[in-house]
Amino acid sequence: MWDERYADKEYVYGTEPNAFLAEHVGLLKGPVLSLAEGEGRNAVFVAGRGLDVLGVDGSAVGLEKAQNLARNRGVAIRTEQVDLATYEPPVQAFGAVVSIFAHLPSPLRKRLHGLVEQSLVPGGIFLLEGYSKNQIHRDTGGPGNLDMLLAREDIEREFPGCEVLLSQEIEREVVEGKAHNGMASVVQFIARKKGTIS
């Protein structure tokens, strides 16, 4: 499905970064793991800030467009085609993990988030924005499956080894290409992994 969606020469979600990520990018330290990176807009933005970035996604077509965008912007990113349902990021390998509209069925999301927490170094940052369950009645983006939409309290529970820096559900205008466009209900979450920074 995603290969088909990304086959268009146009960038489905645009080429500019997610606004929430752009607002808080100063918190991130490399290397950065970007989940469900798609066509590269967020990884390319983070790389432009001088950070080492690995973008993972299930779509080879999307990741090829990501590399093209990186070349056009004069930055380097690493990409890897993975299935997020089975992906296991290396332990204590990342200074930050970014999850922007990475929607999975709840059992797979919980599994992935447990592994993501382990993949952060102490002091590492996890940053997420995704559509909330209240988005189900809107046609401005996101999956039509309630189980794949997010509840703030669920995300908080999925990161027990982290100190929550920001956790909120808000309504905001999302303008990201043709696929995310209009007023939306989103969960925004930032946490820092507990432990001594070496």
Side-chain angles (χ1 to χ4, degrees), residues 42-118:
N42 294 313
V44 166
F45 169 72
V46 172
R49 302 293 296 251
L51 297 172
D52 175 31
V53 188
L54 170 63
V56 298
D57 197 273
S59 171
V61 174
L63 293 177
E64 184 178 346
K65 289 172 80 174
Q67 288 290 354
N68 288 338
L69 183 62
R71 280 190 291 273
N72 290 338
R73 296 279 173 89
V75 299
I77 62 171
R78 295 182 291 128
T79 53
E80 184 180 347
Q81 185 181 3
V82 305
D83 180 352
L84 288 179
T86 58
Y87 178 54
E88 295 191 14
V91 174
Q92 290 201 14
F94 298 105
V97 177
V98 172
S99 176
I100 302 297
F101 299 117
H103 291 276
L104 294 168
S106 59
L108 300 180
R109 186 194 71 234
K110 289 171 187 171
R111 172 200 165 275
L112 179 62
H113 282 174
L115 294 170
V116 161
E117 188 175 82
Q118 293 176 28

Side-chain angles (χ1 to χ4, degrees), residues 143-162:
N145 178 345
L146 190 64
D147 181 61
M148 294 174 71
L149 296 169
L150 306 178
R152 178 182 55 79
E153 55 273 18
D154 290 343
I155 303 302
E156 290 176 7
R157 278 195 294 268
E158 288 162 19
F159 288 87
C162 289

Side-chain angles (χ1 to χ4, degrees), residues 3-194:
D3 278 350
E4 193 175 309
R5 180 171 293 187
Y6 293 144
D8 194 335
K9 276 195 288 192
E10 187 181 347
Y11 280 71
V12 179
Y13 299 103
T15 57
E16 296 308 306
N18 169 265
F20 181 66
L21 171 63
E23 183 182 352
H24 297 285
V25 68
L27 294 172
L28 307 185
K29 292 184 172 58
V32 178
L33 172 64
S34 181
L35 303 170
E37 178 52 43
E39 301 165 300
R41 63 196 176 98
N42 294 313
V44 166
F45 169 72
V46 172
R49 302 293 296 251
L51 297 172
D52 175 31
V53 188
L54 170 63
V56 298
D57 197 273
S59 171
V61 174
L63 293 177
E64 184 178 346
K65 289 172 80 174
Q67 288 290 354
N68 288 338
L69 183 62
R71 280 190 291 273
N72 290 338
R73 296 279 173 89
V75 299
I77 62 171
R78 295 182 291 128
T79 53
E80 184 180 347
Q81 185 181 3
V82 305
D83 180 352
L84 288 179
T86 58
Y87 178 54
E88 295 191 14
V91 174
Q92 290 201 14
F94 298 105
V97 177
V98 172
S99 176
I100 302 297
F101 299 117
H103 291 276
L104 294 168
S106 59
L108 300 180
R109 186 194 71 234
K110 289 171 187 171
R111 172 200 165 275
L112 179 62
H113 282 174
L115 294 170
V116 161
E117 188 175 82
Q118 293 176 28
S119 79
L120 287 167
V121 299
I125 292 289
F126 177 70
L127 181 149
L128 170 147
E129 182 172 55
Y131 289 113
S132 83
K133 292 189 181 295
N134 287 326
Q135 180 70 7
I136 193 71
H137 302 296
R138 299 180 188 270
D139 62 357
T140 52
N145 178 345
L146 190 64
D147 181 61
M148 294 174 71
L149 296 169
L150 306 178
R152 178 182 55 79
E153 55 273 18
D154 290 343
I155 303 302
E156 290 176 7
R157 278 195 294 268
E158 288 162 19
F159 288 87
C162 289
E163 171 197 1
V164 176
L165 304 182
L166 173 71
S167 179
Q168 63 187 13
E169 181 179 332
I170 64 166
E171 293 197 346
R172 78 171 185 89
E173 190 85 13
V174 177
V175 182
E176 299 180 345
K178 62 186 180 185
H180 288 172
N181 215 310
M183 189 58 69
S185 181
V186 298
V187 171
Q188 298 178 333
F189 181 79
I190 303 175
R192 178 183 287 120
K193 187 171 180 179
K194 296 171 185 174

